[in-house]
Amino acid sequence: MIYNERLLFHTVTVPHNPPLRRRQSIDQPPIMRIVLLGKRVSENSRVGNFILGRAAFDSEAPPNFVERVVGRLKDRHVMVINSPQLLQQHLSLQHIVQTVKECLSLSDPGPHVIILLLKHDQCSTEDQECVEKVLHSFSERVYQHIMVITTQEPTETNEILQKIIQKCANRHFSLQRSSSHDDLLQMFEDIVQMNDGRHLVCAKFEASQYFTMKQQATAKFSEDMKLNLVMCGSDATLKSSISERILQQTERRSEVELHGRQINMVELPALFNTRLSEEEVMRQTLRCVSRCHPGVHVFLIIIPEAPLTDEEKAEMEEIQRIFSSRINKHIMILIIQNSEHQTAELNEETKTIIESFGGRHNFFGSTTQVCTLMEKIEQILEENRGGLFSTETFLEAQMKKLLKFEEMKKTDSPETHFLSKGNDHKVN
């Protein structure tokens, strides 16, 4: 699918016509990172969508799925990390700690605001104990960054809820149909300013392996570290069949052990010529990268041995345009051979396209051993010193595009800008 550049940025980071950037003070971080905690997917999705002003979160998403979406609240860049089940009472301490780690990792280096999504008629003593257990899992200083959001008008005062709100320095926002984004943003800004722009520091997790992965990424790739692979291409059936073969599974699973490594395989939906909306395609793209914590090690782009069709070439161009050229050092082109007489010869056009993606490629036929492919992937890891393509890398690339686009607009006359609308997709 071909994106309009303005809609691309509207969907991911900022609206079409953002205000001129102003100098950031020490108490105003470039992106405000918000963690949203609740009990139910539908409620969390509603609040998250209100914050971002669009349908960013799916009300039918899996309840145990922690998701991160970036957008804007008024004139402010915000990142919302949504954990829709962490305040449920039945969760074990181990489950809570692991989910808190994931929330903190997705908000790296830490959240500025943590939201408790609670209800007047569903707040008991057990809920209070659950809230305190969850918050203590973050940090002893968590209450400096906490606020409460409720989504219903109370029929009567709930003393337990009032105690929680008081402990959160009486920071409470009641979300109703007439609620104002300005009021909510001001509450967020007040929390950030009170903390001098500093995010929540969770020292208890800093020494854990979960949070040292980022440091390990600059060192040699560890044998016991999860290997995150993303399967790309225009043919969904072909991607699935190759994924199954790599994972050596007759019944598909997302994570398996392969050659001594834990493999996390994620399939990227086709980006070109799809029936999905631009917003949904971008949402799935971000989700794909987010599912590869702490980042993607290798993107496998599937192409046939035969000359590429226009659709296949457009898909590859779309991948590179959306992710930027920074993806190239993480790409392996996987050339699928179906003929009985397999050769290593490629036509000149295919060679040129492969070179534009960094030149790494591997033939993959019916007799090819998976271990051969793994050796090639190991070489990429060595070349990159374990480096990753993370969600932050993706967002930085989008921001760079946006700034370049805004600079171009400043030099354009209104007539030129109007006539160039149809060519926005050419901006790199």
Side-chain angles (χ1 to χ4, degrees):
M1 182 173 191
I2 296 179
Y3 289 102
N4 178 285
E5 195 75 20
R6 296 175 201 165
L7 291 178
L8 168 68
F9 291 118
H10 175 76
T11 301
V12 182
T13 53
V14 296
H16 157 55
N17 191 25
L20 294 177
R21 288 189 306 158
R22 58 190 177 189
R23 185 176 180 181
Q24 300 288 347
S25 63
I26 189 173
D27 61 348
Q28 189 183 51
I31 297 182
M32 183 189 296
R33 298 181 293 274
I34 302 168
V35 172
L36 177 58
L37 308 179
K39 288 184 178 181
R40 294 171 180 80
V41 174
S42 59
E43 285 292 303
N44 273 52
S45 297
R46 176 189 168 189
V47 175
N49 292 341
F50 176 81
I51 293 173
L52 295 171
R54 59 187 176 88
F57 294 103
D58 186 358
S59 61
E60 298 181 359
N64 60 346
F65 183 66
V66 180
E67 186 175 6
R68 172 175 57 187
V69 176
V70 176
R72 286 183 71 92
L73 175 56
K74 302 297 287 183
D75 62 346
R76 193 76 155 87
H77 296 273
V78 296
M79 174 188 293
V80 179
I81 294 87
N82 182 22
S83 181
Q85 69 154 7
L86 194 53
L87 298 185
Q88 292 182 0
Q89 297 177 18
H90 69 275
L91 300 181
S92 66
L93 181 59
Q94 181 180 3
H95 187 116
I96 291 174
V97 170
Q98 187 61 34
T99 306
V100 167
K101 287 180 179 180
E102 189 168 359
C103 290
L104 293 173
S105 178
L106 290 175
S107 62
D108 183 58
H112 299 99
V113 178
I114 296 180
I115 296 173
L116 299 177
L117 180 53
L118 302 172
K119 284 193 171 184
H120 289 271
D121 60 352
Q122 298 175 355
C123 198
S124 62
T125 303
E126 290 76 14
D127 288 313
Q128 182 181 14
E129 293 174 353
C130 176
V131 166
E132 291 177 352
K133 181 166 60 174
V134 168
L135 296 183
H136 181 73
S137 297
F138 278 89
S139 170
E140 290 77 9
R141 298 183 177 181
V142 69
Y143 285 99
Q144 298 176 8
H145 300 265
I146 286 285
M147 67 173 292
V148 174
I149 289 183
T150 56
T151 58
Q152 60 181 178
E153 288 290 350
T155 56
E156 59 183 23
T157 302
N158 185 306
E159 294 183 0
I160 300 298
L161 177 59
Q162 292 304 315
K163 288 181 180 179
I164 297 175
I165 293 174
Q166 289 173 6
K167 199 166 184 178
C168 297
N170 291 314
R171 291 186 290 266
H172 172 222
F173 184 84
S174 180
L175 181 61
Q176 307 299 327
R177 290 185 179 180
S178 59
S179 297
S180 166
H181 278 87
D182 291 325
D183 294 339
L184 182 59
L185 176 59
Q186 187 58 55
M187 292 194 70
F188 291 161
E189 295 289 5
D190 289 345
I191 294 175
V192 173
Q193 292 178 13
M194 182 191 73
N195 292 295
D196 296 324
R198 293 188 294 268
H199 58 79
L200 177 64
V201 177
C202 303
K204 63 175 69 178
F205 291 126
E206 287 183 348
S208 68
Q209 182 180 5
Y210 193 92
F211 290 94
T212 56
M213 278 183 156
K214 197 167 185 179
Q215 296 175 346
Q216 292 176 357
T218 60
K220 184 177 180 180
F221 191 79
S222 172
E223 289 290 334
D224 58 358
M225 190 183 297
K226 183 190 297 183
L227 176 62
N228 292 320
L229 305 178
V230 172
M231 189 73 68
C232 311
S234 59
D235 190 327
T237 302
L238 186 59
K239 284 188 293 189
S240 296
S241 65
I242 300 301
S243 294
E244 289 178 355
R245 185 171 167 195
I246 292 177
L247 297 178
Q248 296 182 335
Q249 296 286 300
T250 56
E251 185 174 327
R252 299 204 54 210
R253 293 173 57 191
S254 61
E255 293 187 10
V256 297
E257 292 288 338
L258 182 62
H259 303 291
R261 290 200 190 281
Q262 187 181 30
I263 304 294
N264 177 36
M265 178 74 75
V266 179
E267 292 182 16
L268 177 70
L271 303 178
F272 177 78
N273 198 26
T274 68
R275 295 184 179 181
L276 298 175
S277 67
E278 293 177 347
E279 181 172 353
E280 180 61 23
V281 170
M282 182 53 63
R283 182 166 174 252
Q284 291 192 25
T285 303
L286 283 171
R287 177 180 292 182
C288 172
V289 179
S290 296
R291 288 175 60 189
C292 296
H293 176 77
V296 182
H297 293 100
V298 178
F299 292 84
L300 297 172
I301 301 182
I302 308 300
I303 65 172
E305 181 182 20
L308 298 176
T309 65
D310 290 341
E311 181 176 352
E312 289 162 344
K313 287 185 285 188
E315 177 71 18
M316 296 181 71
E317 291 173 359
E318 194 71 359
I319 290 171
Q320 192 173 56
R321 187 182 68 82
I322 290 175
F323 288 97
S324 83
S325 59
R326 297 178 68 173
I327 195 178
N328 286 3
K329 65 180 182 179
H330 300 281
I331 281 182
M332 164 72 75
I333 307 292
L334 210 55
I335 305 167
I336 307 305
Q337 297 178 312
N338 295 320
S339 61
E340 294 182 1
H341 304 289
Q342 298 173 356
T343 66
E345 295 297 324
L346 293 172
N347 62 60
E348 290 302 319
E349 182 182 39
T350 302
K351 287 181 181 179
T352 300
I353 292 175
I354 291 175
E355 286 300 320
S356 70
F357 279 85
R360 302 184 193 86
H361 66 280
N362 189 63
F363 290 92
F364 199 78
S366 57
T367 60
T368 304
Q369 296 295 318
V370 175
C371 61
T372 303
L373 173 62
M374 288 298 297
E375 290 174 358
K376 292 291 186 70
I377 291 176
E378 295 284 353
Q379 292 176 9
I380 297 177
L381 301 179
E382 290 290 340
E383 291 174 10
N384 294 331
R385 297 181 178 272
L388 306 165
F389 188 95
S390 64
T391 306
E392 288 77 8
T393 306
F394 177 82
L395 294 176
E396 287 172 6
Q398 303 309 310
M399 288 298 296
K400 185 176 180 180
K401 287 182 183 179
L402 178 61
L403 294 176
K404 183 177 180 180
F405 178 73
E406 289 299 316
E407 288 298 323
M408 291 176 62
K409 284 204 306 180
K410 292 178 182 178
T411 61
D412 288 343
S413 65
E415 294 79 11
T416 303
H417 179 60
F418 177 80
L419 293 173
S420 66
K421 282 184 178 179
N423 296 321
D424 286 340
H425 65 278
K426 295 181 180 179
V427 178
N428 292 319

